[in-house]
Amino acid sequence: MTRNKTESRVKVLIVDDDSDVLELLEVWLKDEKYAVRKAGSGNEALEIVAEYEPDLVITDLYMEGMDGMELLSELHSDDPLLPVIMLSGQAQIPDAIKAMHLGTSAFLTKPIKKEEFNETVRQIVPS
């Protein structure tokens, strides 16, 4: 994926079936000057990725329908270098290990702390 040279802002896609989480992360990312789109499911995320071409995807692990692991696999089948941050409030250590083996850039547990979240995003895609 090549970034449009005229697009100066880093584009982030947030995927979560919890609208409160989507809203919170959107505010945090916009405060850091990232361009943000949101999806409420893995399938919706795949549709958005095709036209939005995000620089980073942040997804929940456990969602109805396509979960975060499936989404990660789908995203990386099209673009193995696309950075993906996985979030979970219920994850076990094996989940984090599996996500890392599938190529996630970071694995964060909920509740997410703003500074930890922002620092992780900055390390993966500087604004």
Side-chain angles (χ1 to χ4, degrees):
M1 176 186 327
T2 59
R3 214 160 123 210
N4 182 342
K5 300 295 182 211
T6 61
E7 176 63 48
S8 60
R9 291 174 58 190
V10 172
K11 298 187 295 185
V12 180
L13 173 62
I14 312 165
V15 188
D16 201 309
D17 55 2
D18 182 334
S19 60
D20 291 337
V21 171
L22 286 175
E23 297 301 320
L24 177 64
L25 297 182
E26 179 182 34
V27 168
W28 289 355
L29 289 164
K30 285 186 173 182
D31 283 349
E32 296 291 314
K33 307 299 183 225
Y34 294 103
V36 179
R37 292 277 303 266
K38 301 178 291 187
S41 71
N43 287 324
E44 182 184 357
L46 291 176
E47 291 173 17
I48 292 171
V49 164
E51 55 93 11
Y52 185 58
E53 297 183 347
D55 300 298
L56 170 66
V57 174
I58 300 168
T59 185
D60 190 24
L61 173 57
Y62 294 111
M63 298 181 287
E64 292 294 317
M66 181 184 297
D67 68 15
M69 295 287 189
E70 291 174 86
L71 177 60
L72 175 63
S73 293
E74 287 287 326
L75 292 170
H76 280 180
S77 71
D78 290 334
D79 182 356
L81 300 179
L82 177 64
V84 177
I85 296 174
M86 188 81 62
L87 309 174
S88 179
Q90 311 162 31
Q92 303 295 317
I93 290 171
D95 294 323
I97 292 170
K98 181 178 178 184
M100 296 307 275
H101 281 297
L102 288 174
T104 191
S105 301
F107 194 97
L108 300 175
T109 56
K110 296 177 183 175
I112 302 162
K113 294 178 181 73
K114 182 178 182 179
E115 282 311 310
E116 177 186 15
F117 175 79
N118 287 340
E119 182 58 29
T120 300
V121 171
R122 277 191 295 269
Q123 287 175 359
I124 294 170
V125 286
S127 56

